[in-house]
Amino acid sequence: MKFGRGLIVFLTLVLLFGAAMSAPMALAEDQAGAVSYSFEAEAAGNLLSGKAEIKNCETAVGCSGNQMVGSLWGGSALQFNGVNVADEGIYTMTVHYISGDPRSFAVRVNDGASDRYDLPKTADWNTRGSYEIQLQLNQGENTIRFDDEGGYSPDIDKMDLRLADAGTDPNEPPAGNGQVYEAEAPINRLTGNAAIKLCKAETACSDGKKVGDIWGGSTLQFNQINAPSEGNYTLKISYISGDPRPVSIQVNDGEAEAYSLPQTASWDTTGLFQIEVHLKEGSNTILFDDNGGWSPDIDKIEVISSEEPGEEPGDVSEIGNIGAKLDSAKYGPIMVEEHKSGLTLSNGIYKLTYNTDSGLAAYEWNGKTIVKGIYSSIMLDKQLDSKSYAEHLFTLKKIEKIKDGHGKGIQVTIENKQAGLPTMKQIYHIYENLPYFLVSQQVTSDTALSTNDMAPLVLSNKGGIDIGSYSDNRVLVAPFDNDAWSRYQARTINTSLNNNNYISSELTAIYDNTSRNGLVVGSVTHDQWKTGIYWSGSDDRLNKLKVYGGFSSPTSTHDTIPHGKVTGTTLTSPQIVVGYYADYRAGLESFGEANAAVAPPLKFDHGVPKGVPVGWNSWGAYDSKLSYDKVVAVSDFFKENLQKSSFANKGNVYINMDSYWDNLTEQQLEQAVQVINKNGQKAGIYYGPFVYWGENMDQPVEGTNGKYTYGEIILRDLSGNPLPKVDGAYAIDPTHPGSKQRIEYYFKRFLDYGFEYIKIDFLSHCSFEGKHYDSNVQTGIQAYNQGMAHINKVLGGKMFISASIAPLFPSQYAHARRISCDIDGTLSKTEYQLNNLTYGFWQNGTIYSYTDPDYMTLVKGGSFDAAQSRVNSAVISGTVYLNSDDVNDPAAQELMKKLLTNKEVNEVALKGKAFRPVEGNTGTGAADTFVMKDGADYYVAVFNYTNEPVTKTVDFERAGIPAASNAKVTDLWTNATRDVAAGQLQVELNGAQSKLYKIKTK
C-alpha cells in the first residue's frame, strides 16, 4: 500500500508538471503566416504573490478559459513562467484585461528593469480590453512579471505574443495616389472578435465585404500599405456604424491616436472619415484597435498623397509698412499713432501694429515681434475673414477710455466693411502697465445672423508665432473639465498632423521650457461660448492658430451635438487675453488674474470660514456603504485623535458625507449633524444637481409636487431625443423649472439640517449642448451659468461650495474646484493628480480660492511612503485638505495618526497656496519637483513616482531659489536640518517616497 500510494503520487506530480508546462501556451498562425503565442494568466506554472488569485469570469466577460487573475493590489504580482518563443527578438505583447477604472502595472521581462504602463479603463468590470506593449525576448524560456507597484492593477485574462514585423520587401511596387486597400484582404491581420463579414447589397461595400465585430479587445491591421516616398498622406476610411464609436489608429510603431467616428445613417450605410497620417517610404502598417470597447465596421481605406495646403497669409512681410504718421494721442503711458495705412498701440511693454491695407496685425514685446499675420473670422453661410474685407477703418476719434477690473485703459476698434457683408469689428482693450491686452470681435447686421464659430484670433502663416527661443518648445493642451481622468499635455510644438486631437480648451501657453519664455493666450469671458484653441507647428514655431468660440467635442466637452448657434443682429465673440512673459508660469498666473478681474471667485459670506477646509470625506472610506454609525465613529475619532493635534484650521474641521448619504434616514441625518456639531465640527453633504441616474422617465421629480417627471427635465437634442448618458447618467436641463425646484427641495433641506459644506458633482452635464427649456438659452455655457447662479441663490452664501467634476470655466460659482478627477490614494493616481497641478497650479488663488486635490485615502497607498506622498501631494496643491479613511481599520488609524498630525506639514497646507512646477516638459505626466515662495522662505517638494530608490537633484537657480553660499534645509517630516552649499540639494528617495523641505537662504 505504501509503495502503491507513492507511485500514484509520483504519476500525479508528472501529470501536473506536464500540465503546468503546457497549459500556459497555445500556438497559432495568423493570416500573414507568422507564429503567435497565447499564455493564460491562470496557468498552473505561473507564480502569484501577495493578494493575487485565480478567479472565475462571468460568461459575459468572455475570458479565455473562463478564468482570470485578479486582486492585483497592495503589493501583489503575477509572473508568467515558461514563456517559450522560437526566436530572439522584439515581440508585441497584447495583454487582455478587465478594469472598470484606469489602472496601471509594471512589467518586467526576465531580470530586466520594470516599466510602468497606464491602462485605460474598459467599458465596465464585465468587459475585456486589450493593451499592446513591445518586449525584447530571448530565444527559449522567458519570464514576464506584472507588478501592481503597491497600487491597484487590472485583472488579467491572458497575454498574446507575436514577433514584431521584421521589415518590408524592397521589391514591392509602390502605390500611387488614391490607392485603395480592402479591409478583408488576406494579407491583413485580424485579432480578437474581428471577422470578415458580407455586406448587404444596399450598404454598397467595396467588393461586398467588410471587417466587423471589432470590439472587446479586437484589432484590424492593414499590412503592406506602400508609399512611394516618405511624407504626409490623407487616409480616407470607409466605415459603417449605426452609433458614434471610437477607434484607435496606429501607423507602424508610432503613437496610437484615438478618433471618435460619427454614426452613419444606419448599420447598412457607409460613411467616410478622413485623417492625416505620416508614412515612411515603402511598406507600412495601419492598425485599427477598439481599445477594449466597440469600434465601427471597416469597409476599406484609401491612401492619397497630400501636400501641405498652400497658405494664404496675406502680405505678412509688409505689416509694418504703414506709411507716414498722421496723428497720435496719449492716454497716460498708452500711446496711439494713426498712420496713412495703419496704426500702432503701445503701453511701453508691448506694441501692436495693424495694417489697414492688408487687414493683418503683428504683436511685439520688448522690441521683438512675437506674432505676425493676425486676423479674425466668422462662419455664417460661408466663412468671412476680416483680412478679406474691402475696407479696414480706424479713427482716433472713436477711441474710448475704459476702467474695469483689469484697470485703466482704452478701447480701440477697427471696422471691416464691404458692400453686402455684415460689419466685422475687431476690438482691442489696452491697459496701463499690464503685460497683456484683450481682443474680441463683434459682427453686426440689419438682419439676424447665426453662428457657432467666431474666431477673434486667427493666424495662417508659416512661423507666424516665434517666441525667440528654441530649446524645448511646447504647446499646452488644457482639458475642458476634470472628468474621465483627463490630463493636461505639454505637447511638442512640432505637431502638424491630426491637430484636431490637440485643441486646447479655454487657454494655452506656447513656450520654451528651457528658457521659460512664453506666450499665453486664452478666454476671459465665459458667458456664452466654449472656447477652443486650434494650433499647428513646425521648426519650433507655430504656423496656424485659431482661437474661437464654438468648441465642442465628444471627448473633451462630452458633447454629442455641435456647439449651439448664437443668433442676433449683433454677435460677440469671447474676449481673448494675449500676453508674452519671461516665465510662462507667471503668464499662466496672469491669465488666472485676468479672468478673476472679469468674474471674481465666490465670496465667503455668512460666517463660512475663509481658510483651507480641513476634515474628512466619506467616499474613499465607505463608498456606497455609508451609515449613521460610521459617520458618528469618524466624528468621534477626529475629536479624540486629530483635531487637537494640528489637523484643523483655527478649530474648524469638516465631517462630510459624500454620495449615499441617503443611506441614512431623515432622523439619522439630523442626528448626525448634531453629533458632528457637538464634537466641535462642521457637517458637509454631497449632491449631483444636474444628473439623473435612473431609467424611469415617468418618475416624478422631487420637490415639484408631481408637476414634472424626469422625462420632462432631462436634456434633449434638437430632434427631441435624450442626450446619451455620460458617466452613466442623463444630463438634466438646468433651465427647466422642474430642475430648479429639485435643487431648491434638496438644498433647502441641507440648510435646514445644518450642513455647512457641500460638494456638488457632475457639473459638466450642466454645460452640454442641447435644446433647453429656456428658449433664450442658445448654448451649453449659457445654461451652465443659469444653473449655477440658481444654486448660489438658493444657498445664499451659507455653505462652503466645492465643485467636484466640473468645467474649468465659468469659475465664479464655487469656493474650490477639484483640480483633477478622483484620486484613490495609489501612487499612480498621486502622479495623475500632480499632472493636473503641474499645468493647473495657476487656478489657485486666482479663479478659485482653493484647488481641491481630492481626499486622502492613506491606507490605499500600499506603503507608508506612498501614503506620505499622497499627503504631500495634497499639501502642495492649494488645497482642500480632507482625509477619507475608514476609522474602524487599525492600519488606517495608525497612518492617520502618523501622517495627519505633523504640525509643520499641516501649517504648509493651511497656507492655501499651490506650489509651482520646476519643469513643464513632462508631456502627459507630472513634474517631480515643485516649489513655493512664502515671504523670505522657500518650500520644495520632490516626488518619486516609481517603486525603485532614486536620487534627485534640486538646482536652486532652476527652482528660483537664491543660490546663496549657504542655505538651511529642513525636512518637515523629520525636522532634520542640514546646511547646503553650492546651490544644489541632493535628495535620496525610496520607492514611492517624497520629501517636503523648508529652505532658508543666508
Side-chain angles (χ1 to χ4, degrees):
M1 283 295 293
K2 188 175 181 180
F3 177 81
R5 185 182 178 193
L7 179 61
I8 292 170
V9 170
F10 173 77
L11 291 173
T12 301
L13 288 172
V14 170
L15 290 171
L16 285 173
F17 179 78
M21 294 304 295
S22 62
M25 181 177 72
L27 290 174
E29 192 170 278
D30 67 19
Q31 295 176 1
V35 174
S36 61
Y37 307 83
S38 184
F39 300 85
E40 295 291 340
E42 69 273 13
N46 293 343
L47 176 65
L48 280 64
S49 62
K51 302 175 179 65
E53 59 179 334
I54 297 171
K55 295 185 174 183
N56 292 325
C57 270
E58 296 290 338
T59 305
V61 179
C63 289
S64 174
N66 296 317
Q67 289 184 314
M68 63 182 179
V69 170
S71 297
L72 286 163
W73 67 277
S76 304
L78 159 65
Q79 180 169 299
F80 285 82
N81 292 322
V83 180
N84 285 282
V85 295
D87 299 296
E88 179 183 3
I90 296 175
Y91 284 76
T92 297
M93 177 176 71
T94 303
V95 182
H96 299 268
Y97 70 100
I98 304 97
S99 188
D101 52 68
R103 293 191 173 187
S104 62
F105 53 49
V107 178
R108 187 178 71 189
V109 178
N110 300 320
D111 295 324
S114 294
D115 289 316
R116 184 171 68 89
Y117 300 92
D118 294 310
L119 278 66
K121 68 175 181 178
T122 52
D124 52 42
W125 281 104
N126 291 312
T127 305
R128 285 194 312 161
S130 64
Y131 190 83
E132 287 194 351
I133 302 168
Q134 288 201 322
L135 308 171
Q136 175 74 43
L137 297 180
N138 300 326
Q139 182 182 18
E141 185 168 316
N142 298 264
T143 62
I144 300 177
R145 178 182 174 88
F146 294 78
D147 194 309
D148 63 28
E149 295 187 303
Y152 286 79
S153 292
D155 298 340
I156 297 178
D157 171 23
K158 66 172 182 176
M159 68 172 188
D160 298 327
L161 294 170
R162 67 178 187 277
L163 191 62
D165 189 3
T168 61
D169 184 355
N171 299 316
E172 197 69 40
N177 287 350
Q179 181 68 43
V180 174
Y181 298 87
E182 296 291 341
E184 68 273 11
I187 200 170
N188 294 342
R189 183 173 185 272
L190 282 62
T191 66
N193 302 306
I196 297 171
K197 295 195 166 188
L198 295 175
C199 284
K200 292 182 180 180
E202 59 266 31
T203 309
C205 290
S206 176
D207 288 346
K209 294 180 182 179
K210 64 181 179 180
V211 170
D213 286 342
I214 306 176
W215 64 274
S218 304
T219 64
L220 160 64
Q221 180 171 294
F222 286 83
N223 292 319
Q224 295 187 18
I225 305 298
N226 289 286
S229 60
E230 181 178 359
N232 295 341
Y233 288 76
T234 297
L235 179 68
K236 288 186 175 180
I237 305 162
S238 178
Y239 70 100
I240 304 99
S241 189
D243 52 67
R245 292 191 173 187
V247 67
S248 177
I249 299 176
Q250 180 183 24
V251 178
N252 299 320
D253 295 325
E255 185 178 351
E257 302 280 1
Y259 299 93
S260 296
L261 276 63
Q263 70 182 76
T264 53
S266 68
W267 279 105
D268 296 317
T269 307
T270 56
L272 284 177
F273 189 79
Q274 181 173 304
I275 63 171
E276 291 177 292
V277 295
H278 189 84
L279 300 179
K280 63 184 180 182
E281 181 179 355
S283 183
N284 297 263
T285 61
I286 300 178
L287 179 75
F288 290 74
D289 192 323
D290 62 32
N291 278 338
W294 297 79
S295 289
D297 298 344
I298 306 296
D299 170 25
K300 64 180 179 180
I301 60 173
E302 183 177 5
V303 178
I304 304 169
S305 179
S306 63
E307 297 180 357
E308 184 71 18
E311 303 288 353
E312 295 293 340
D315 200 354
V316 174
S317 63
E318 296 297 315
I319 292 175
N321 294 333
I322 55 177
K325 184 172 73 172
L326 303 178
D327 201 354
S328 65
K330 202 169 190 316
Y331 304 86
I334 301 172
M335 173 64 74
V336 183
E337 294 184 353
E338 184 175 6
H339 290 247
K340 179 181 178 182
S341 300
L343 64 142
T344 62
L345 312 170
S346 175
N347 73 346
I349 301 171
Y350 55 77
K351 178 181 176 182
L352 281 62
T353 301
Y354 191 103
N355 188 304
T356 51
D357 285 343
S358 65
L360 297 174
Y363 309 148
E364 65 180 66
W365 279 263
N366 303 318
K368 176 176 175 52
T369 299
I370 304 296
V371 182
K372 57 184 178 182
I374 288 290
Y375 59 96
S376 302
S377 73
I378 185 173
M379 178 62 72
L380 297 171
D381 56 340
K382 61 179 180 179
Q383 180 166 307
L384 301 179
D385 297 333
S386 62
K387 66 178 182 177
S388 300
Y389 273 67
E391 295 181 292
H392 315 287
L393 305 175
F394 163 77
T395 174
L396 284 173
K397 295 178 182 179
K398 291 190 176 182
I399 291 177
E400 300 177 31
K401 293 181 180 181
I402 56 175
K403 185 177 181 180
D404 54 28
H406 301 279
K408 292 172 61 178
I410 59 171
Q411 175 179 297
V412 178
T413 301
I414 296 100
E415 290 189 321
N416 301 279
K417 291 189 173 183
Q418 183 169 324
L421 295 179
T423 298
M424 185 186 299
K425 298 178 180 179
Q426 294 169 281
I427 304 168
Y428 286 92
H429 284 198
I430 312 297
Y431 294 95
E432 298 179 5
N433 306 316
L434 287 181
Y436 63 79
F437 59 86
L438 306 178
V439 59
S440 60
Q441 85 192 110
Q442 197 173 79
V443 180
T444 61
S445 175
D446 293 334
T447 58
L449 305 170
S450 184
T451 188
N452 60 1
D453 187 339
M454 287 192 80
L457 277 179
V458 184
L459 180 143
S460 183
N461 169 36
K462 187 170 179 60
I465 295 181
D466 182 349
I467 63 172
S469 56
Y470 317 103
S471 295
D472 186 4
N473 293 63
R474 303 274 170 166
V475 176
L476 179 61
V477 180
F480 171 75
D481 65 6
N482 51 8
D483 199 4
W485 288 273
S486 60
R487 287 177 180 256
Y488 288 80
Q489 182 175 11
R491 190 167 181 86
T492 173
I493 198 173
N494 301 316
T495 300
S496 58
L497 292 178
N498 305 307
N499 289 69
N500 281 321
N501 277 4
Y502 311 116
I503 295 176
S504 189
S505 181
E506 305 297 342
L507 75 143
T508 190
I510 303 148
Y511 63 99
D512 175 9
N513 183 65
T514 302
S515 69
R516 294 198 177 113
N517 297 341
L519 184 74
V520 175
V521 179
S523 176
V524 297
T525 54
H526 311 280
D527 48 0
Q528 64 180 359
W529 295 105
K530 294 171 185 165
T531 300
I533 303 175
Y534 174 90
W535 59 277
S536 176
S538 62
D539 299 323
D540 294 324
R541 297 158 177 85
L542 276 196
N543 306 323
K544 294 182 181 180
L545 180 73
K546 179 181 178 182
V547 185
Y548 65 101
F551 175 47
S552 68
S553 158
T555 53
S556 182
T557 67
H558 318 291
D559 286 307
T560 54
I561 63 175
H563 193 288
K565 287 192 172 184
V566 177
T567 301
T569 56
T570 299
L571 305 179
T572 303
S573 76
Q575 192 175 47
I576 307 302
V577 63
V578 183
Y580 177 79
Y581 301 84
D583 188 331
Y584 76 93
R585 300 174 302 171
L588 290 171
E589 290 166 344
S590 178
F591 169 76
E593 291 163 358
N595 270 274
V598 176
L602 186 63
K603 292 180 179 179
F604 290 88
D605 291 322
H606 300 287
V608 175
K610 293 183 179 181
V612 167
V614 177
W616 179 88
N617 174 279
S618 67
W619 185 253
Y622 301 123
D623 201 288
S624 62
K625 298 179 176 62
L626 185 63
S627 69
Y628 172 79
D629 291 340
K630 290 173 180 175
V631 173
V632 171
V634 168
S635 178
D636 290 343
F637 181 85
F638 269 68
K639 178 185 178 183
E640 295 165 6
N641 298 279
L642 300 179
Q643 65 197 55
K644 292 183 180 179
S645 298
S646 82
F647 196 69
N649 193 345
K650 297 180 180 178
N652 293 311
V653 172
Y654 290 96
I655 303 296
N656 297 341
M657 289 174 263
D658 206 287
S659 187
Y660 292 94
W661 55 263
D662 51 355
N663 288 350
L664 283 67
T665 66
E666 298 291 314
Q667 183 180 8
Q668 288 176 329
L669 282 172
E670 292 186 79
Q671 290 176 343
V673 173
Q674 292 171 10
V675 169
I676 290 168
N677 292 162
K678 185 178 179 181
N679 282 338
Q681 303 151 353
K682 298 177 181 295
I685 197 69
Y686 168 99
Y687 196 63
F690 305 112
V691 287
Y692 175 51
W693 300 99
E695 297 287 349
N696 181 9
M697 293 301 160
D698 294 324
Q699 179 181 335
V701 177
E702 302 92 318
T704 67
N705 295 319
K707 184 176 181 179
Y708 299 111
T709 64
Y710 275 96
E712 293 175 283
I713 71 169
I714 63 168
L715 189 58
R716 297 174 181 268
D717 62 22
L718 301 183
S719 299
N721 301 309
L723 294 182
K725 289 182 177 181
V726 174
D727 297 328
Y730 290 105
I732 286 177
D733 179 356
T735 75
H736 196 286
S739 165
K740 295 179 179 180
Q741 291 170 28
R742 177 177 179 251
I743 287 171
E744 293 163 9
Y745 170 75
Y746 279 107
F747 285 32
K748 288 179 180 178
R749 284 174 61 199
F750 298 154
L751 289 170
D752 289 343
Y753 291 156
F755 288 103
E756 300 177 66
Y757 181 116
I758 188 164
K759 173 184 172 182
I760 46 178
D761 206 356
F762 297 103
L763 301 181
S764 296
H765 286 68
C766 182
S767 70
F768 292 170
E769 304 300 324
K771 186 175 182 180
H772 293 89
Y773 178 89
D774 183 347
S775 60
N776 293 317
V777 169
Q778 300 174 325
T779 71
I781 288 298
Q782 287 177 324
Y784 186 90
N785 279 286
Q786 187 177 130
M788 293 299 293
H790 185 67
I791 287 176
N792 282 178
K793 180 181 177 182
V794 173
L795 292 178
K798 297 177 182 177
M799 297 177 79
F800 184 98
I801 300 176
S802 180
S804 187
I805 300 299
L808 178 57
F809 293 106
S811 56
Q812 65 266 35
Y813 301 109
H815 299 104
R817 173 186 174 268
R818 278 254 296 274
I819 200 167
S820 65
C821 197
D822 297 7
I823 307 300
D824 62 7
T826 60
L827 181 63
S828 63
K829 286 297 192 295
T830 294
E831 184 276 334
Y832 157 70
Q833 184 253 302
L834 290 175
N835 160 267
N836 285 265
L837 178 67
T838 300
Y839 301 106
F841 66 93
W842 54 270
Q843 302 164 43
N844 178 259
T846 58
I847 58 175
Y848 296 99
S849 294
Y850 304 109
T851 39
D852 178 2
D854 205 11
Y855 51 72
M856 300 173 283
T857 307
L858 306 179
V859 78
K860 292 182 181 178
S863 69
F864 180 85
D865 285 333
Q868 189 179 64
S869 289
R870 179 65 191 117
V871 176
N872 281 339
S873 71
V875 166
I876 71 172
S877 292
T879 180
V880 175
Y881 200 42
L882 304 179
N883 174 257
S884 190
D885 277 291
D886 178 1
V887 300
N888 296 310
D889 178 353
Q893 286 187 13
E894 183 178 1
L895 288 170
M896 293 167 77
K897 291 176 183 178
K898 287 183 177 179
L899 295 175
L900 301 181
T901 58
N902 183 305
K903 186 174 184 292
E904 289 71 23
V905 171
N906 289 342
E907 284 178 351
V908 179
L910 296 186
K911 293 178 186 295
K913 294 183 178 181
F915 284 40
R916 275 182 172 186
V918 172
E919 302 297 343
N921 60 348
T922 58
T924 58
D928 61 7
T929 306
F930 299 83
V931 63
M932 187 258 289
K933 185 178 187 298
D934 184 56
D937 299 329
Y938 294 84
Y939 295 86
V940 172
V942 187
F943 291 84
N944 177 11
Y945 302 124
T946 76
N947 281 309
E948 302 298 324
V950 296
T951 300
K952 295 181 181 286
T953 300
V954 179
D955 183 278
F956 280 18
E957 183 177 2
R958 184 64 176 166
I961 302 171
S965 58
N966 207 0
K968 180 181 179 182
V969 178
T970 303
D971 183 327
L972 294 183
W973 283 101
T974 65
N975 207 31
T977 299
R978 55 176 158 152
D979 289 332
V980 174
Q984 287 194 334
L985 173 65
Q986 297 291 323
V987 183
E988 303 288 339
L989 296 172
N990 299 326
Q993 191 181 22
S994 60
K995 295 286 182 71
L996 181 62
Y997 296 105
K998 181 177 182 179
I999 300 176
K1000 284 183 172 292
T1001 57
K1002 299 179 181 179

